[in-house]
Amino acid sequence: MRLSNRAWLVVLFCLGLFSLALSQGSTAPSTSVVELSFPSEASRRIFIHPPLLEKIPEAASQVSAKAVELPLTSNQEAKPGDFSVFIVDEERGLLATRPLQEVLKTRKWSPVDADYTFLVTLSVMVTSPEGPLATGVVTIQPATPNERKVILSPTMQGKANFEIVPLGDTKVRVEYTTTDAETKTAPTQTFNLTAEQRTVTLTINDKVEVATPPAQAQPSSEPKAEGAAAKTEGGESASKKQPEPPNPLASLLQFACVLVVLGAIGFFVWWYIKNNQKQVQEALKQVGVQGGAGPSGANGPDPVLTQAAPAPLQTIVLPDAAPTPAAPAAAPAPLTPQLRGESGDVFTLQEGATTIGREGADLTLAGESSVSRSHATLTRSGTVVTLADSGSTNGTFVNGQKITSPVTLNPGDTVQFGAVRFRYEG
């Protein structure tokens, strides 16, 4: 049985409707969830993440109800041993965590006070008799073996913040430079961090450069717009949903529909040429192409397209002219952009993006605890190199200035990742 053109259009239309309905259905909420319950309503953030955590992800869901559902992705459901469930109590500044594999045994978790074993933020204040320390390096050694550092700058007012610090004994030390240009390390102090202790203070008795207090902001005389606070509060309390994995069946059917539509277009072009040979041949002649008798079959052999012979070129005779002067010698090629370390090591920057970090990066600074796992990115386009921070803990600096947006490097610039310095050459 041979279908007419109208029947083919009906079939294609039905396939398109079926694909659209299936893709709409694929956006339905996932039925794979974990139920979390709390003793009272409060502002919290919940999320699933690999066990090693250095900061709260921005995609964490904001909740306040006593009972909530946390959806799982297909990857989390398939490999629960690679993930943990995290709960942030924003009012108390504490964080609770439990392996996802353990939570999935009942798919329920009601955290108690003993589960909150991390401070969300620990602040270390470094002061001297004259005021807060302007510059230095603050290092903490929590109960876990990971040593962490923060580089102080004058704008920090002697305050170093560390995220996700476990409760219990934590060793703290600070390295600084006196006004006599002598580098010193203050005696290490041990603090027993509790759920109520979010700030510790270290005092330096040497004469050091102190941070200048920031200028006091003048109070604004303009009245605040009504409803602004309510709008902000409502926006902050809105829950952030994790993206659902796409439906593979819907994607496959959509791809099949695209192939069917392309095939239909090709069939229509072939049918039009077969039934309108004269019009096609006239159009080809207008562009200088001669066609055969038409498609093979009842109407004759396959068409053979031949391009019309071009007109002969005319010879152009030019009068005698002075010889063309030789082109000047090409300028020497610019130096390849590269980073030179303080020890003399050189790292050549390739075209495109180059990642810098402590582990698994293009430029790996192994053993440097002041460098984050994913610290910064250098992007080379020809001889132009741009540096951007990747949300590192200790920051990225160019010529001593901390950057908050991409910066184009110039030859001779000093680039610093945490406490590691390089010189840019290009």
Side-chain angles (χ1 to χ4, degrees):
M1 181 180 65
R2 186 175 183 180
L3 296 179
S4 63
N5 294 335
R6 181 175 298 178
W8 276 112
L9 292 176
V10 172
V11 171
L12 292 175
F13 180 75
C14 292
L15 286 174
L17 289 180
F18 178 72
S19 175
L20 179 62
L22 190 59
S23 63
Q24 292 293 332
S26 65
T27 60
S30 171
T31 57
S32 180
V33 297
V34 170
E35 297 180 6
L36 305 177
S37 57
F38 308 97
S40 61
E41 293 184 355
S43 177
R44 300 179 179 88
R45 301 183 73 182
I46 58 176
F47 56 95
I48 297 177
H49 191 275
L52 189 59
L53 183 69
E54 290 187 349
K55 60 172 57 180
I56 307 299
E58 296 182 358
S61 299
Q62 186 89 26
V63 299
S64 59
K66 296 175 62 175
V68 295
E69 291 184 345
L70 182 60
L72 304 178
T73 64
S74 58
N75 186 33
Q76 294 166 354
E77 185 78 25
K79 300 179 180 179
D82 296 343
F83 299 93
S84 293
V85 180
F86 293 87
I87 300 174
V88 178
D89 189 327
E90 295 189 324
E91 294 183 358
R92 297 191 296 166
L94 298 175
L95 179 141
T97 179
R98 176 169 292 185
L100 177 60
Q101 197 166 15
E102 183 178 342
V103 176
L104 287 181
K105 292 179 181 178
T106 60
R107 292 191 175 269
K108 295 181 180 180
W109 182 25
S110 300
V112 296
D113 289 344
D115 293 324
Y116 291 90
T117 57
F118 289 84
L119 289 175
V120 175
T121 302
L122 171 65
S123 298
V124 179
M125 295 293 304
V126 185
T127 63
S128 69
E130 290 79 17
L133 181 66
T135 58
V137 178
V138 181
T139 304
I140 67 170
Q141 178 71 51
T144 56
N146 293 331
E147 186 179 80
R148 297 156 66 182
K149 296 182 180 181
V150 169
I151 301 175
L152 289 177
S153 63
T155 58
M156 298 169 68
Q157 295 293 307
K159 182 178 181 181
N161 290 329
F162 297 87
E163 294 189 35
I164 320 300
V165 180
L167 301 180
D169 290 343
T170 296
K171 298 180 180 179
V172 183
R173 71 174 185 272
V174 58
E175 302 172 23
Y176 59 94
T177 303
T178 66
T179 54
D180 297 331
E182 182 180 0
T183 301
K184 289 187 175 182
T185 300
T188 301
Q189 299 186 34
T190 301
F191 297 90
N192 185 14
L193 302 180
T194 64
E196 292 76 22
Q197 186 177 14
R198 305 182 192 176
T199 303
V200 298
T201 302
L202 277 76
T203 302
I204 298 175
N205 295 323
D206 294 315
K207 291 185 178 182
V208 295
E209 181 183 356
V210 298
T212 304
Q216 297 293 333
Q218 298 296 330
S220 176
S221 60
E222 299 181 359
K224 295 182 179 180
E226 297 182 1
K231 180 178 179 181
T232 302
E233 181 179 355
E236 292 293 338
S237 61
S239 298
K240 300 178 182 178
K241 297 182 178 179
Q242 294 184 352
E244 298 296 334
N247 189 324
L249 181 58
S251 301
L252 180 60
L253 287 177
Q254 289 176 350
F255 179 71
C257 288
V258 171
L259 291 180
V260 171
V261 172
L262 292 177
I265 294 175
F267 173 79
F268 175 77
V269 172
W270 174 83
W271 176 85
Y272 180 83
I273 295 175
K274 178 180 179 181
N275 294 276
N276 299 273
Q277 298 181 20
K278 293 184 179 180
Q279 292 87 337
V280 173
Q281 291 179 3
E282 291 178 358
L284 293 176
K285 289 180 180 180
Q286 292 179 0
V287 297
V289 180
Q290 297 179 355
S296 62
N299 295 325
D302 292 339
V304 179
L305 300 180
T306 57
Q307 187 174 1
L313 298 177
Q314 296 181 355
T315 303
I316 300 177
V317 180
L318 298 177
D320 293 339
T324 304
L335 296 177
T336 302
Q338 59 187 15
L339 293 180
R340 183 180 297 274
E342 294 181 334
S343 62
D345 295 336
V346 176
F347 182 82
T348 302
L349 300 178
Q350 304 299 328
E351 189 73 16
T354 300
T355 58
I356 296 92
R358 192 170 68 248
E359 296 178 3
D362 298 327
L363 175 51
T364 301
L365 303 176
E368 294 292 343
S369 57
S370 65
V371 179
S372 298
R373 286 179 175 79
S374 178
H375 196 103
T377 301
L378 285 162
T379 303
R380 175 189 170 188
S381 178
T383 58
V384 178
V385 176
T386 304
L387 173 62
D389 187 76
S390 300
S392 63
T393 300
N394 294 322
T396 302
F397 302 81
V398 175
N399 296 329
Q401 299 295 323
K402 186 175 183 180
I403 65 172
T404 57
S405 59
V407 173
T408 300
L409 299 180
N410 296 314
D413 284 349
T414 299
V415 181
Q416 183 173 341
F417 309 105
V420 183
R421 296 182 180 179
F422 290 90
R423 177 184 174 86
Y424 170 70
E425 300 174 351

